[in-house]
Amino acid sequence: MKIGFIGAGGMAQALAGKWRSKHAVMLSGRDADKTAKAAAAVGVQAGTAAQAAAFGDVVVLATRWQDVFTAIDQAGGAPAFTGKVVIDINNPVSIETFLTTREDGRSLTQAIQDALPDAEVGKAFNMAQVAVWEDPNMIYDGRQMVTLFTAETDRVAGTLATLIGDVGAEPVQLGDNTHAYQLEAAAAMVIKFLFAGRDPHTLFNLIQPEVKPVR
Ligand SMILES: NC(=O)c1ccc[n+]([C@@H]2O[C@H](COP(=O)([O-])OP(=O)(O)OC[C@H]3O[C@@H](n4cnc5c(N)ncnc54)[C@H](OP(=O)(O)O)[C@@H]3O)[C@@H](O)[C@H]2O)c1
């Protein structure tokens, strides 16, 4: 796959570092020198937000959550994302209250989906800290880490299943993006523990559910 990141910070570098052996990857940021250094550190290409959106079949939104819609505009707005799989990794969480910042009961993911009507959107990678995504093993308590995701379409679900597997985790789909607010609320709990001084590897590692036919 060709994967463009809007953002070149901790999460972009952690995921890019895992994906670069199987995929072509470009990071982007507002400062060209800083972005070039970040991309060089993990051995991938650097560009502007518009270049990263044009480059990727898959575009990962990896700015701070407050900057997501500005970054989308700077990448070229909705037309720049036409036909793309867009992955939202962002946590709209207040670090004062440790509650999600969206008040309408809908998720940031759904707001992104509304803003990008000609893209296909999913959410993943939001429920663990950078140190977890950098971990080459992702084995916790003797089990491969499970990563929940949501997806608007089967194409997004297939893409996320592959990309989650490629970081070394076990993909499990929670549902479509109407469930994304649950991932955001779960991340708020993890973030609260991190800010309370817990180990950065604090995470939910769900057991891969056995699928049984419903009677
Ligand atoms: N940190 C974690 O452990 C973690 C875990 C799971 C999910 N998340 C979520 O992942 C997202 C990214 O977190 P992070 O820790 O990677 O943040 P970060 O280190 O602060 O990186 C944010 C990046 O976004 C770039 N950026 C900001 N505005 C931009 C724009 N308009 N166009 C292009 N790039 C832009 C910044 O680049 P410049 O400032 O240099 O331009 C920077 O490279 C957040 O929404 C967070 O909620 C974080």
Side-chain angles (χ1 to χ4, degrees):
M1 293 181 211
K2 291 176 78 177
I3 305 169
F5 279 86
I6 313 296
M11 283 296 288
Q13 290 178 59
L15 295 172
K18 289 275 184 79
W19 287 336
R20 66 170 192 161
S21 63
K22 290 191 176 173
H23 307 286
V25 181
M26 179 185 288
L27 303 190
S28 70
R30 292 169 292 196
D31 179 305
D33 286 345
K34 200 171 147 190
T35 305
K37 281 184 190 146
V42 290
V44 301
Q45 299 177 61
T48 63
Q51 287 169 334
F55 175 84
D57 316 307
V58 177
V59 183
V60 183
L61 301 177
T63 64
R64 295 183 317 149
W65 64 267
Q66 297 93 329
D67 297 327
V68 165
F69 293 105
T70 305
I72 286 173
D73 285 345
Q74 288 171 351
F81 294 84
T82 298
K84 312 277 182 183
V85 167
V86 172
I87 302 176
D88 166 31
I89 68 166
N90 304 283
N91 286 317
V93 172
S94 162
I95 55 168
E96 287 162 10
T97 62
F98 300 105
L99 298 170
T100 59
T101 57
R102 300 197 61 82
E103 293 172 351
D104 57 3
R106 297 177 85 238
S107 59
L108 175 63
T109 312
Q110 288 171 295
I112 292 168
Q113 191 177 308
D114 291 347
L116 303 178
D118 298 320
E120 295 169 57
V121 179
K123 188 176 200 87
F125 306 109
N126 72 309
M127 279 177 50
Q129 215 256 358
V130 165
V132 173
W133 303 114
E134 289 172 338
D135 182 345
N137 298 315
M138 305 198 86
I139 306 286
Y140 301 102
D141 291 336
R143 292 187 279 114
Q144 188 180 24
M145 181 179 150
V146 169
T147 293
L148 297 181
F149 68 93
T150 65
E152 182 184 353
T153 63
D154 289 347
R155 178 178 167 223
V156 181
T159 301
L160 279 172
T162 299
L163 291 178
I164 290 167
D166 289 344
V167 299
E170 179 83 33
V172 175
Q173 184 170 3
L174 177 63
D176 63 19
N177 289 333
T178 59
H179 292 265
Y181 81 94
Q182 294 170 318
L183 297 185
E184 294 172 3
M189 287 192 277
V190 173
I191 292 166
K192 183 171 187 178
F193 288 131
L194 291 171
F195 273 74
R198 302 268 177 159
D199 186 277
H201 294 84
T202 299
L203 50 81
F204 292 109
N205 191 13
L206 304 175
I207 293 170
Q208 167 69 288
E210 183 186 352
V211 180
K212 291 181 180 168
V214 179
R215 294 180 187 204

